[in-house]
Amino acid sequence: MVKVDKTILLDTCLLAGRIMIEGGSEMYRVEDTMNRIVRNAGQSEPLIFTTATGIIIGLKNQPYVQLSQVSARNIDMEKVAGVNQLSRQFAEGKITLTQMRKSLIHLDKNTPYFPLPLQVLGAAVVSATLMVIFAQQYDWMDIPLAAVAGSLGYLVNYYVGRATKIRFMSEMLGAFIVGLTALIGVRLGLGREIDNVIIGAVMPLVPGVAITNSIRDMLAGHLLSGMARGMEAILSACAIGVGIAIIFRFF
């Protein structure tokens, strides 16, 4: 077994864990990946503590402990899949620890994203199709309006999220635009049921993955992370509700 630098090993594990948490991975998956990296590097009994806002890792009976802060959390399965792929390559001996660390740094800074027009198109498709599912009827006037409202809401959410550091503001303003677009469209005769339009158009903003992951974390025994993520998802849902409520209250 090739001797590895324990400082580089822990730094690589922290980097992998942080990228996975920022990408929306469950905590038990993060810990499992970090454990595998340590064990495949020839070290046994790693001590790992993960939360939604930070990671601590050390080696048992050895004076090696490092921690990393997690400041941003989003849903990006491309990052999670990339870390898992690098972990498998390291386990199979296809890459060294140093190569893995360099690849993780590159992944962290150069994660590929779908172009914004394609994301907006996806939001439109999701809004239209989920409106049909929730409304349980095909209303060919409401479907285009739901697609337009969902697209505009997603765009506002995207740009506000990039422009401000205030959490949940982007969801609230995105939902407000969804409700305003639906209201104007119905009043202009471009749609019939404002409730159906809003239900479909707001779906791209709903934190469904975050809610699911919080429940999975709690079922896996990560109560602290599960409750933190659950509260974050609830606050996002409340922000969306406030944005829609403003429309019904004042318009």
Side-chain angles (χ1 to χ4, degrees), residues 122-175:
V125 172
V126 168
S127 300
T129 52
L130 289 182
M131 191 215 75
V132 174
I133 293 175
F134 286 113
Q136 298 184 358
Q137 61 183 0
Y138 291 93
D139 192 325
W140 300 107
M141 288 190 67
D142 288 342
I143 289 176
L145 181 58
V148 171
S151 301
L152 292 177
Y154 182 85
L155 271 175
V156 171
N157 176 62
Y158 177 83
Y159 283 114
V160 172
R162 293 185 60 181
T164 180
K165 298 292 185 180
I166 303 176
R167 297 298 307 274
F168 315 115
M169 180 65 70
S170 59
E171 289 95 336
M172 187 185 72
L173 292 179

Side-chain angles (χ1 to χ4, degrees), residues 182-191 251:
L183 178 67
I184 293 174
V186 170
R187 290 188 176 180
L188 291 177
L190 302 177
F251 296 92

Side-chain angles (χ1 to χ4, degrees), residues 10-223:
L10 296 184
D11 185 62
T12 302
C13 289
L14 284 178
L15 181 57
R18 179 179 61 78
I19 292 174
M20 292 184 72
I21 293 176
E22 290 179 351
S25 177
E26 307 92 328
M27 292 301 167
Y28 70 86
R29 192 185 304 276
V30 174
E31 289 190 1
D32 180 67
T33 300
M34 295 173 69
N35 266 299
R36 290 176 184 273
I37 293 174
V38 173
R39 296 183 187 279
N40 290 326
Q43 302 298 318
S44 60
E45 298 189 68
L47 304 175
I48 301 171
F49 179 74
T50 58
T51 70
T53 56
I55 312 172
I56 301 175
I57 183 172
L59 299 176
K60 189 173 183 180
N61 299 323
Q62 298 188 39
Y64 295 96
V65 177
Q66 289 192 25
L67 59 89
S68 177
Q69 182 181 8
V70 180
S71 57
R73 289 172 300 281
N74 209 330
I75 303 300
D76 191 344
M77 293 296 106
E78 189 74 26
K79 284 188 174 183
V80 178
V83 173
N84 285 334
Q85 181 63 28
L86 290 172
S87 176
R88 294 189 189 97
Q89 291 178 358
F90 178 64
E92 295 169 0
K94 295 180 179 179
I95 58 175
T96 64
L97 183 65
T98 303
Q99 290 173 331
M100 180 180 180
R101 184 172 180 273
K102 290 181 179 178
S103 298
L104 286 172
I105 293 174
H106 182 269
L107 175 65
D108 187 30
K109 296 180 178 179
N110 302 280
T111 304
Y113 291 96
F114 289 109
L116 182 58
L118 191 58
Q119 296 181 43
V120 173
L121 177 61
V125 172
V126 168
S127 300
T129 52
L130 289 182
M131 191 215 75
V132 174
I133 293 175
F134 286 113
Q136 298 184 358
Q137 61 183 0
Y138 291 93
D139 192 325
W140 300 107
M141 288 190 67
D142 288 342
I143 289 176
L145 181 58
V148 171
S151 301
L152 292 177
Y154 182 85
L155 271 175
V156 171
N157 176 62
Y158 177 83
Y159 283 114
V160 172
R162 293 185 60 181
T164 180
K165 298 292 185 180
I166 303 176
R167 297 298 307 274
F168 315 115
M169 180 65 70
S170 59
E171 289 95 336
M172 187 185 72
L173 292 179
F176 176 81
I177 294 300
V178 165
L180 184 63
T181 304
L183 178 67
I184 293 174
V186 170
R187 290 188 176 180
L188 291 177
L190 302 177
R192 293 193 179 94
E193 296 291 336
I194 187 173
D195 293 343
N196 293 344
V197 174
I198 290 177
I199 288 173
V202 82
M203 283 299 112
L205 306 178
V206 173
V209 176
I211 294 173
T212 303
N213 285 350
S214 70
I215 295 174
R216 295 183 68 176
D217 279 339
M218 285 190 284
L219 292 177
H222 293 271
L223 301 181

